[in-house]
Amino acid sequence: MKGFAAFTPTRILFGAGSLSQLSGKDIPARKVLLVTGVGGSLRRNGTLAKVEAMLAREGVEFVAFPSVEPNPSDETVMKGAEAARENGCGALLAVGGGSVMDAAKLMAAMATNEGTLWDYAQAGTGGKQAFTNDPLPLIAVTTTAGTGSEVDAGGVITNHVTKEKLGFGDPRLFPTVGVVDPELMLTVPPAYTAYQGFDALFHAVEGYVSGVATPMSDVFAKESVRLLAAHLPVAVRDGSNLEARSKVAFASTLSGLVMVTGGLTSQHALEHSLSALHTELPHGAGLILLSLHYFGKMIEKGASLERFVTMAKCLGHPCAERPEDFLVALANLEKACGVLDLDASAWGFAPDDVEWLVENVLATGTKQFKRDAVPFAREDLADIYVKTLAKKACFWDKDPIGSLNRNA
């Protein structure tokens, strides 16, 4: 059996109504920076009122920072860090999706460290410094099921000046507490339920077929994929189905643990370049756009072939025999969730973006490329991007969707 090291210190509060379990004893400061997103949905659906009532009940002061945008920027991180310092906040409480939790982790780090965030970026134009001081403690309350950021020690931040989207990681960035309450996810719209669910799915799939998979990450990955295959279409169709929401939320948390105990492949790096160029592209949608072409290329190059068969079975095809069965199973799931026909041009992409995307991902995706089971050449990356932006079909020209579903 392959050896591995694992460190997962976050206390997880999981289940419907678990937000009510969060109390003052979980917050190691009497004044916190309350970090939320710019949209205002938490105020409208009552989540923010619940959090504020808990803080008042526990005698914890808060300074509101309702300013995190999708695909958060380094500028936002620095503003949040400054707000925490200037107001004497001893901890951060992040309530929102992956963007909010990612940004809050880096705010916690920059509240106690000198310079700018990009001084600490480890790729691209980053300064490649290490954080000197421990970050402020962070409590993460996730309101979406996709990123797993409530249980991992990293965050992804965009630099609009350099057009880079990079991951930051440090073991000290783990949240002290992660709250996963599916009741907070009931109002997420269908499209975003799908985008977020596929983000979780690809965390699990990438972790399973990567070159750094471990026996522990394998366990988390397989169960995450099984749960998403069975319950994500239900959650997309009927967002009020609390059981489906709970199963998808659990799958998302498991996929976060895949990242902690294993590692992702370059699919995420390729997507980061997409949403660095057009920041309005939701991360999960970008992953879906890439997915069939990306994994098709992996299979074409002979990477993790037996593992793709296992993933096909986890996606609901117990009689899968070929790695290509995974592509059919994935396409079927995307179709069931209404996202198979996403078009990159809807977010402003054009075929002549390919050269820029290839250069950008080669400059920024160093870590993820090292985790791939088989290396990609420049022409492989270009081919993936060409097909992604042009909506060119890959396997289903020869093998129509559903033809390999032997249980149909």
Side-chain angles (χ1 to χ4, degrees), residues 17-268:
S18 57
L19 177 60
S20 64
Q21 299 176 35
L22 189 66
S23 67
K25 71 176 185 291
D26 297 309
I27 303 173
R30 293 300 87 193
K31 190 174 188 179
V32 301
L33 188 72
L34 178 57
V35 183
T36 57
V38 296
S41 62
L42 299 185
R43 178 67 66 191
R44 293 189 296 272
N45 65 27
T47 298
L48 203 52
K50 293 179 182 178
V51 172
E52 292 171 349
M54 180 275 294
L55 293 173
R57 184 178 65 248
E58 300 293 337
V60 178
E61 294 183 63
F62 71 89
V63 175
F65 189 82
S67 306
V68 179
E69 72 276 35
N71 290 318
S73 71
D74 57 328
E75 294 177 352
T76 299
V77 168
M78 294 305 299
K79 289 176 182 177
E82 183 179 4
R85 284 195 305 269
E86 289 185 347
N87 290 283
C89 298
L92 284 80
L93 174 57
V95 185
S99 293
V100 170
M101 292 184 287
D102 282 12
K105 290 175 187 176
L106 279 307
M107 291 175 194
M110 292 313 301
T112 59
N113 285 276
E114 300 294 327
T116 68
L117 177 64
W118 228 247
D119 294 333
Y120 301 92
Q122 300 300 308
T125 62
K128 300 178 177 59
Q129 296 182 31
F131 294 120
T132 301
N133 301 315
D134 290 345
L136 296 177
L138 170 68
I139 298 91
V141 179
T142 182
T143 60
T144 63
T147 69
S149 189
E150 71 276 4
V151 295
D152 72 23
V156 179
I157 305 296
T158 298
N159 184 321
H160 294 299
V161 175
T162 63
K163 290 191 178 297
E164 294 171 301
K165 186 175 179 180
L166 299 177
F168 295 76
D170 187 293
R172 294 170 290 180
L173 293 178
F174 277 106
T176 57
V177 179
V179 179
V180 188
D181 185 343
E183 289 184 352
L184 306 183
M185 305 168 188
L186 293 173
T187 58
V188 177
Y192 281 87
T193 297
Y195 297 161
Q196 294 154 8
F198 275 96
D199 186 15
L201 182 84
F202 295 132
H203 290 159
V205 172
E206 288 180 55
Y208 192 75
V209 301
S210 79
V212 294
T214 70
M216 183 173 282
S217 67
D218 284 352
V219 172
F220 295 141
K222 287 188 285 188
E223 185 61 14
S224 178
V225 172
R226 288 190 189 102
L227 288 169
L228 288 164
H231 300 285
L232 182 58
V234 180
V236 171
R237 289 194 305 269
D238 178 10
S240 65
N241 188 316
L242 184 58
E243 181 66 12
R245 290 284 191 186
S246 297
K247 294 293 178 63
V248 171
F250 184 46
S252 175
T253 298
L254 290 176
S255 76
L257 294 171
V258 171
M259 293 186 282
V260 174
T261 56
L264 304 183
T265 68
S266 58
Q267 184 194 13
H268 265 68

